[in-house]
Amino acid sequence: MPRAGDPQSEAALVEECGVSRGTVRRAVRELETAGHVEARHGVGRFVSSRP
């Protein structure tokens, strides 16, 4: 996931990683819970600036 610019879509991650959409969603949710990814409503998800 990019630090700046347009976030990668779930569909793009599915294709790039060769996994199911459910797997991508679960992984992203886990990254959000751990504070590694920030969700911005209507914009997307970004790598967190927090350490």
Side-chain angles (χ1 to χ4, degrees):
M1 290 193 177
R3 286 194 180 270
D6 294 331
Q8 214 170 356
S9 69
E10 285 182 2
L13 289 170
V14 165
E15 187 173 327
E16 181 178 327
C17 298
V19 297
S20 71
R21 185 173 179 188
T23 299
V24 168
R25 295 184 89 177
R26 185 173 48 248
V28 170
R29 188 171 48 245
E30 288 181 23
L31 290 169
E32 282 182 89
T33 300
H36 298 292
V37 173
E38 296 175 3
R40 298 183 190 159
H41 185 71
V43 179
R45 293 179 177 96
F46 297 86
V47 174
S48 178
S49 59
R50 295 185 280 163

